[in-house]
Amino acid sequence: MRQNNGVSFTSSSLKIPLPSSNPSLSQTLASQLARTRHSAFQLIDSFRSRFNYVKGPPTRSTESTLSEFGIHSLIRSCPLLCSTSLSQTTQNHNIAKSPLLCAASLSLSPMGSTESTQAGLEVPQKGQSTTASRYDEERVLISEVLVRNKDGEELERKDLEMEALTALKACRANSALTVREVQEDVHRIIDSGYFSSCMPVAVDTRDGIRLVFQVEPNQEFHGLVCEGANVLPSKFLENAFRDGHGKVINLKRLDEVINSINGWYMERGLFGLVSGVDIFSGGIIRLQVAEAEVNNISIRFLDRKTGEPTKGKTKSETILRQLTTKKGQVYSMLQGKRDVDTVSTMGIMADVSIIPQPAGDAGKVDLIMNVVERPSGGFSAGGGISSGITSGPLSGLIGSFAYSHRNLFGRNQKLNISLERGQIDSIFRINYTDPWIEGDDKRTSRTIIVQNSRTPGTLVHGNQHDNSSLSIGRVTAGVEFSRPIRPKWSGTAGLIFQHAGARDEKGNPIIKDFYGSPLTASGKPYDDMLLAKFESVYTGSGDQGSSMFAFNMEQGLPVMPEWLFFNRVNARARKGVEIGPTRLLLSLSGGHVVGNFSPHEAFAIGGTNSVRGYEEGAVGSGRSYVVGSSEVSFPLLGPLGGVIFADYGHDLWSGPNVPGDPAGARYKPGSGYGYGFGIRVDSPLGPLRLEYAFNDRQAKRFHFGVGHRS
């Protein structure tokens, strides 16, 4: 197709109902030509009867021939939907007129005549009772089959004549044909797509009956006008019509293009289709495309029990700002589904659905989002396992009690107040989150944290020789801001203040452990630090087995002279691969810290979420580390699954660089590996993991965990 010549794209208001079916162009044309085809069958029937019954001398008039040999009877009795025009040239005769005007022509001449002529005769139909089916199976011998234009002349383009002849299946010279076979071949010529009409005409010649298919070829394609296609790429249309420029328009090919355009909309879930096609003189095709624009979006709250409309607690604008579908856009069902998922992830809706309805303006839709709210808040209690406790009759068991509110002020703001208590662990936390700061168009969230925690110090400093234990107490307060950076990427920045120190079993502050290693960087009972935090996370499909990458950096800001100044970076990566019914999961993590930092902040290696087969932190603790893991998981029975794993960890020879060298004082190897097997059980709390592991020092150990490995 010559670019930009005769091709234009325009937009116009849409005035078609939604959603209406759009019959194919070829089907429409075929329907319009149905009566013409039937007239040809009546015509052939008439000739068949004439040559079966007429025996008189050639000088007898056609009028008497018709009367004597039953042609009147044949015409009157045929019930076909006839629009045939029959003519004679020897003598006029008045015949009862039919209200149906025939559109095919029939040639009659006196018997023995060397010339074939055509004239018109109106055929009566009212009151006929004989069915046409008895004639369909009777055959008429055809001596010649030709393709001509509508004026009976040869076609200018021989390739079109060959297309028509190629389409014929039954109609061949010197063949005996039935009405049904001629009808089917007329269909085949039309269905070839090159002709707008096809009229079969039977001509009586000295050599027999000549069957002529008078066809009207389509115009040559010279230009395209597309109206109303606001989102359909012009390049798509140009590519679809490029090969047809200067060629005869093929209606079958045009129908395929229309279907491909409709398919483009369907694949993208868009409410759009080709609503009209016109072919103008000069070979200009006009496509009219209907695209349903969103006229209005409203929120309707439904009662959880009755399903009836009710007053909701959530502000409508809080829900509407979550939607990517906006007024004036062409409505996309796929985009609507994503909006439903987005609203569902707010955590305050039990059910969400979108219902499109025709708007008052033609070609537009109104969207109604039905939502069912969850209870806003309440109290909860539970339990869990702490990975930092490695001994004792209730090793690692903790209980929790919490109050949460999911929808403060009807703006989806969340407040959580929780208390966790274990054998040594205790965490009191107040967490307030605004998932979307009002007035921000980047979906920025804000989280304010206040926390007082006490966790085991055994990860770095291990158990004391006198069987005493120490814990790390932290008071933390800070604010974090998060936002999507790009699809599947999110970023977080925050400022956190931390006041941390070590305590003995009685809760008294201590500055050195049993080996004399310092427990704080400042030499005081507590270290103070102000951390600037930056984090970026990539997630694939979002499930645990998908790809993931996270990078975290914390910078200590010495606002006060005694505050710690250091930099810590940490990175984690994960990749899952499906291998038949099994899944291979590879993970790698590593980190490094420079500057003056608290010894208990060193990277601990070993344990349930690190190198299995070792106790928590038993491989080593250093300024640097790397841990790699591989797992092959497979289904067993229902929610039960199996896993085979191998882990390896190394402190990169950085253990002695930690203040006081707590790893060296406890003879930690600094590197090690473990391998084993286990089972996983899906539960409402997450996967329950029970694993049995061996390490490189011939030790064996059970590991139990709740949730996915961090």
Side-chain angles (χ1 to χ4, degrees), residues 621-648:
S621 54
R623 283 180 176 265
S624 305
Y625 88 103
V626 61
V627 171
S629 177
S630 63
E631 291 185 352
V632 177
S633 58
F634 46 89
L636 292 177
L637 181 63
L640 187 65
V643 62
I644 302 173
F645 58 84
D647 307 321
Y648 177 79

Side-chain angles (χ1 to χ4, degrees), residues 166-233:
T166 303
L168 299 178
K169 182 178 180 180
C171 296
R172 295 286 187 267
N174 300 318
S175 60
L177 303 177
T178 65
V179 173
R180 187 184 304 277
E181 289 172 334
V182 176
Q183 177 185 17
E184 291 173 351
D185 273 352
V186 170
H187 277 278
R188 292 187 182 100
I189 292 177
I190 293 296
D191 290 342
S192 70
Y194 290 100
F195 308 97
S196 59
S197 67
C198 176
M199 181 75 65
V201 177
V203 182
D204 179 16
T205 69
R206 75 175 76 183
D207 297 324
I209 296 180
R210 175 189 300 157
L211 180 59
V212 180
F213 291 95
Q214 293 184 348
V215 298
E216 185 176 359
N218 296 324
Q219 305 179 63
E220 293 183 355
F221 173 59
H222 291 294
L224 173 68
V225 175
C226 186
E227 299 178 349
N230 298 313
V231 298
L232 182 67

Side-chain angles (χ1 to χ4, degrees), residues 476-688:
T476 304
V479 59
E480 294 181 353
F481 297 89
S482 300
R483 70 166 50 170
I485 299 175
R486 54 183 304 176
K488 301 183 180 182
W489 280 94
S490 63
T492 300
L495 199 63
I496 301 172
F497 175 80
Q498 180 174 288
H499 176 76
R503 298 186 181 190
D504 61 17
E505 290 180 320
K506 298 179 181 180
N508 299 318
I510 55 176
I511 60 175
K512 291 186 178 181
D513 64 8
F514 178 84
Y515 296 95
S517 301
L519 297 174
T520 61
S522 63
K524 299 179 181 180
Y526 297 97
D527 287 331
D528 294 327
M529 62 194 80
L530 182 65
L531 302 177
K533 176 184 177 180
F534 302 93
E535 184 178 42
S536 180
V537 178
Y538 167 84
T539 55
S541 62
D543 60 53
Q544 181 64 18
S546 65
S547 300
M548 184 276 292
F549 175 78
F551 176 81
N552 178 283
M553 182 180 70
E554 294 177 340
Q555 175 65 54
L557 304 176
V559 176
M560 302 294 290
E562 64 273 16
W563 290 5
L564 301 186
F565 177 54
F566 65 94
N567 180 272
R568 175 168 50 201
V569 295
N570 194 15
R572 307 186 310 276
R574 182 183 67 226
K575 176 66 176 179
V577 180
E578 297 283 353
I579 306 176
T582 66
R583 177 188 288 270
L584 173 63
L585 183 64
L586 304 174
S587 61
L588 181 67
S589 61
H592 181 66
V593 59
V594 295
N596 186 25
F597 73 106
S598 302
H600 55 76
E601 297 288 348
F603 297 111
I605 309 170
T608 302
N609 292 313
S610 181
V611 179
R612 285 161 286 192
Y614 282 89
E615 294 184 0
E616 303 298 326
V619 174
S621 54
R623 283 180 176 265
S624 305
Y625 88 103
V626 61
V627 171
S629 177
S630 63
E631 291 185 352
V632 177
S633 58
F634 46 89
L636 292 177
L637 181 63
L640 187 65
V643 62
I644 302 173
F645 58 84
D647 307 321
Y648 177 79
H650 201 293
D651 66 2
L652 303 178
W653 305 277
S654 64
N657 297 326
V658 177
D661 188 13
R666 291 159 178 81
Y667 302 104
K668 295 181 180 180
S671 66
Y673 65 84
Y675 58 92
F677 57 90
I679 58 174
R680 307 283 170 84
V681 180
D682 291 334
S683 75
L685 299 176
L688 303 180

